[in-house]
Amino acid sequence: MRPSLNSARRKAPNKFGARPKTVDGIRFDSTLEARYYEHLKLLKQAGVISELELQVKCELLPAQKHPVTGKHIRAINYIADFRVTYPDGTVEYLDTKGYEKQEFKLKAKLFIAKYKQPLWLIRKSGKNWTKEAIYA
C-alpha cells in the first residue's frame, strides 16, 4: 500500500552510518561533528581559540552563464564544518569526516587552490582528536 502524500516522510538513513545529533539547539549531520563542536566550545571557553563559526560557505567557482545557450550555471561551493580563529589571528578550516567521498576530495583541491590555505580533516583516535592535512 502506498503512503498518502500527507503522511510524514522518513529520511533515508545515511549510507555511511552517520547519525544526526543536536547540541545546543544546533543539528549536526553526525555524532562525530557534534562531539568535535563540544570539544571546540571547551577550547573557546579556555581561550585557546577566539572565534568559532559553523557551516562556513566558501565559493569555489562563481555562478555563470553557459557561453552558447546563456543558461544559468550554479556556483560551486564548499561548506566547511568549522572555521576557527586563534588569538593570534590564524584561521583554520576544519572538516569532520568518517569517509571521504570523491566530491569532497575534488572540492578540497579547489579550496586549497583558490584560498591558498590548508584544509584540515578531523578524526577521532581513541580518546584523542587528530588533525590531518588534506592533500586530496
Side-chain angles (χ1 to χ4, degrees), residues 7 18 37-38 57 65 68 72 78 84 90 95 100 104-105 111 120 128 133:
S7 68
Y37 165 73
E38 292 171 329
K57 187 182 203 178
K65 294 209 180 281
V68 175
H72 177 77
Y78 164 69
V84 173
T90 304
D95 215 311
E100 298 170 53
F104 170 73
K105 291 178 181 183
F111 175 88
W120 297 96
N128 300 315

Side-chain angles (χ1 to χ4, degrees), residues 58 78 82-86 89-94 107-120 133-134:
C58 304
Y78 164 69
F82 306 102
R83 179 168 52 196
V84 173
T85 305
Y86 293 92
T90 304
V91 175
E92 287 184 337
Y93 289 83
L94 310 167
K107 286 185 176 186
K109 287 178 185 178
L110 292 170
F111 175 88
I112 293 165
K114 180 172 182 177
Y115 292 98
K116 307 291 185 227
Q117 185 160 342
L119 186 57
W120 297 96
I134 297 173

Side-chain angles (χ1 to χ4, degrees), residues 31-114:
T31 303
L32 178 69
E33 186 180 348
R35 286 185 180 157
Y36 196 65
Y37 165 73
E38 292 171 329
H39 173 73
L40 290 173
K41 274 189 1 181
L42 292 174
L43 293 179
K44 187 169 189 226
Q45 289 171 353
V48 175
I49 60 175
S50 57
E51 194 172 338
L52 171 59
E53 298 167 81
L54 311 175
Q55 299 297 301
V56 180
K57 187 182 203 178
C58 304
E59 185 178 73
L60 302 175
L61 288 173
Q64 51 193 306
K65 294 209 180 281
H66 189 278
V68 175
T69 65
K71 288 192 176 187
H72 177 77
I73 299 172
R74 291 185 304 173
I76 297 175
N77 297 305
Y78 164 69
I79 299 175
D81 290 339
F82 306 102
R83 179 168 52 196
V84 173
T85 305
Y86 293 92
D88 67 358
T90 304
V91 175
E92 287 184 337
Y93 289 83
L94 310 167
D95 215 311
T96 57
K97 291 263 183 272
Y99 175 81
E100 298 170 53
K101 294 188 238 176
Q102 285 301 114
E103 179 184 7
F104 170 73
K105 291 178 181 183
L106 176 61
K107 286 185 176 186
K109 287 178 185 178
L110 292 170
F111 175 88
I112 293 165
K114 180 172 182 177

Side-chain angles (χ1 to χ4, degrees), residues 13-30:
N14 182 293
K15 74 178 191 179
F16 300 108
R19 293 184 181 186
K21 183 172 182 177
T22 302
V23 177
D24 296 339
I26 304 165
R27 185 182 179 278
F28 294 93
D29 291 336
S30 69

